[in-house]
């Protein structure tokens, strides 16, 4: 009898929950309609292509297709780690990603904190617009600007160096400068756009917190340390975890526009290698295995980073 009552209660609870959800959907149906394009985008361009990852375990032939190609198991993954050219490229990708994480990630936070202290609104808006405008430029344009600035004959950098008696340097022709150029150009292009997110997070902080701190005699620096940074910490953690997930995904076009035979030893990353080996040399199965390896590593980094973040700060991506 008790078991029957328990099952009846569970059925009533399930029915009530479903009814509540359906009423919620009917109430907010415009939001669900607006989300359909985004859902379709991820289904078409993210989830459906996952089935093509099967060719990583095949000797894929474009004429036979996925069904007709021979299965080779983990041979492509073994080849990936045995190939002498792949390990230096993996090292380049890790180092450039690490430099970008260490040097580029804090810049939008610092810019947002500095802009938040500006009291002249007109000046603040102008500076904010100037710093995020480069985000809308393509990497081809950014590459042309950087090449012009660093040109050994007409570049402004070498012109300034010549004033101190230093011989012109071909920055893009030396391995020692390519990683700095890649990270530095990324900071110039995208740091202003990231600043908008942190400024929005700062704007959501309740003004009463700052008023109470001022009454207690806290300086502006103390308010930043004790109020602003702790309040935007959840946003910082989420963006940090997202960047960790893209640690090996530095970007093909970002590197390709600067890459040449003189700096490829330190500049070539997984994305450019996949383009060269996969599309140019038509090694589809091999490069799919590399892409699958990169995706798995990114997933593991997100999971590990999320767990560490929850233990340390109590905040996480999920």
């Amino acid at each position: 009898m008790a078991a029957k009552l328990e099952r009846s209660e569970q059925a009533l609870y399930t029915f009530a929950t479903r009814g509540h959800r359906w009423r919620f959907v009917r109430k907010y149906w415009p939001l669900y309609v607006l989300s359909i394009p985004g859902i379709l985008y991820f289904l078409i361009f993210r989830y459906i292509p996952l089935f093509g990852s099967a060719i990583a375990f095949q000797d894929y032939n474009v004429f036979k297709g996925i069904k007709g190609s021979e299965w080779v198991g983990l041979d492509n993954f073994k080849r990936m780690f045995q190939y002498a050219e792949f390990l230096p490229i993996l090292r380049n990708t890790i180092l450039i990603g690490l430099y970008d994480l260490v040097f580029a990630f804090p810049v939008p936070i610092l810019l947002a904190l500095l802009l938040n202290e500006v009291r002249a609104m007109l000046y603040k808006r102008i500076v904010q617009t100037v710093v995020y405008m480069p985000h809308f430029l393509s990497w081809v344009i950014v590459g042309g600007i950087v090449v012009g600035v660093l040109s050994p004959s007409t570049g402004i950098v070498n012109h300034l160096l010549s004033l101190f008696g230093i011989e012109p340097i071909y920055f893009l022709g030396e391995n020692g400068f390519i990683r700095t150029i890649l990270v530095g150009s990324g900071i110039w292009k995208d740091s202003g756009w990231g600043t908008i997110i942190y400024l929005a997070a700062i704007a959501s902080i309740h003004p009463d917190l700052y008023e109470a701190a001022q009454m207690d005699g806290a300086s502006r620096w103390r308010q930043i340390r004790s109020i602003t940074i702790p309040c935007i910490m959840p946003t910082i953690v989420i963006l940090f975890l997202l960047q960790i997930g893209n640690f090996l995904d530095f970007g093909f076009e970002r590197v390709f526009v600067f890459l040449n035979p003189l700096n490829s030893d330190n500049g070539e990353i997984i994305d450019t290698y996949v383009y060269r080996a996969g599309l140019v040399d038509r090694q589809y199965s091999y490069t799919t295995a590399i892409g699958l390896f990169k995706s798995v590593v990114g997933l593991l980094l997100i999971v590990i980073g999320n767990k560490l973040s929850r233990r340390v700060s109590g905040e996480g991506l999920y």
Side-chain angles (χ1 to χ4, degrees):
M1 186 68 178
K4 290 183 178 180
L5 288 173
E6 185 176 355
R7 285 197 295 269
S8 300
E9 290 177 356
Q10 289 178 351
L12 288 172
Y13 176 77
T14 303
F15 179 77
T17 303
R18 289 177 179 174
H20 175 72
R21 290 176 179 173
W22 177 242
R23 287 195 299 272
F24 187 84
V25 171
R26 284 191 301 174
K27 182 178 180 181
Y28 298 103
W29 67 268
L31 299 179
Y32 287 95
V33 173
L34 288 174
S35 67
I36 289 176
I39 294 173
L40 291 176
Y41 168 79
F42 280 99
L43 284 175
I44 296 172
F45 297 103
R46 300 294 182 180
Y47 289 100
I48 294 178
L50 286 175
F51 295 102
S53 300
I55 67 175
F57 306 95
Q58 295 178 320
D59 183 12
Y60 180 70
N61 188 304
V62 292
F63 299 104
K64 296 180 179 179
I66 296 179
K67 293 183 179 180
S69 298
E70 179 185 357
W71 290 88
V72 295
L74 299 176
D75 287 355
N76 289 313
F77 294 92
K78 293 177 182 177
R79 176 189 171 191
M80 177 176 66
F81 289 106
Q82 292 173 353
Y83 196 43
E85 192 176 359
F86 177 73
L87 293 180
I89 293 171
L90 178 61
R91 182 196 63 198
N92 290 340
T93 307
I94 293 174
L95 287 176
I96 294 174
L98 183 62
Y99 296 156
D100 193 58
L101 192 65
V102 172
F103 296 107
F105 182 78
V107 173
I109 303 173
L110 296 175
L111 279 175
L113 294 175
L114 292 172
L115 285 173
N116 187 58
E117 297 301 312
V118 176
R119 292 294 172 259
M121 292 304 297
L122 178 61
Y123 177 74
K124 181 178 179 179
R125 298 303 181 193
I126 292 174
V127 172
Q128 186 177 344
T129 302
V130 169
V131 296
Y132 81 65
M133 281 298 291
H135 173 79
F136 299 98
L137 301 177
S138 70
W139 274 108
V140 176
I141 297 175
V142 173
I145 294 172
V146 174
V147 169
V149 170
L150 299 179
S151 171
S153 57
T154 60
I156 187 173
V157 173
N158 277 297
H159 177 70
L160 294 175
L161 292 177
S162 65
L163 298 178
F164 296 95
I166 301 175
E167 293 293 327
I169 302 172
Y170 184 26
F171 291 98
L172 288 171
E174 297 188 20
N175 278 311
F177 294 107
I178 184 61
R179 291 171 183 165
T180 304
I181 293 171
L182 291 173
V183 176
S185 60
I187 292 174
W188 178 74
K189 183 177 186 295
D190 293 324
S191 59
W193 183 255
T195 302
I196 298 176
I197 300 174
Y198 293 110
L199 283 174
I202 293 173
S204 66
I205 301 174
H206 204 287
D208 290 350
L209 296 174
Y210 293 106
E211 292 176 3
Q214 289 175 359
M215 293 178 64
D216 291 337
S219 63
R220 294 300 303 174
W221 171 241
R222 183 55 187 260
Q223 292 175 39
I224 291 173
R225 288 193 296 119
S226 301
I227 299 176
T228 307
I229 293 178
C231 287
I232 66 172
M233 188 56 67
T235 304
I236 294 174
V237 169
I238 290 174
L239 294 178
F240 182 75
L241 291 175
L242 290 174
Q243 185 157 345
I244 286 179
N246 294 324
F247 186 73
L248 296 181
D249 191 15
F250 193 70
F252 165 76
E253 66 279 2
R254 179 174 176 177
V255 178
F256 188 73
V257 294
F258 298 110
L259 206 61
N260 59 60
L262 298 176
N263 60 32
S264 61
D265 288 344
N266 285 352
E268 183 152 39
I269 61 172
I270 290 177
D271 292 329
T272 56
Y273 176 66
V274 166
Y275 164 77
R276 182 163 55 85
L279 295 181
V280 178
D281 296 338
R282 298 186 297 277
Q283 302 180 64
Y284 304 115
S285 295
Y286 173 55
T287 50
T288 302
I290 295 175
L292 191 59
F293 162 77
K294 189 177 70 170
S295 300
V296 171
V297 171
L299 177 62
L300 291 175
L301 288 174
I302 286 182
V303 173
I304 295 172
N306 189 73
K307 288 185 177 180
L308 292 176
S309 176
R310 284 200 170 277
R311 287 185 181 181
V312 175
S313 64
E315 301 290 341
L317 190 61
Y318 56 89

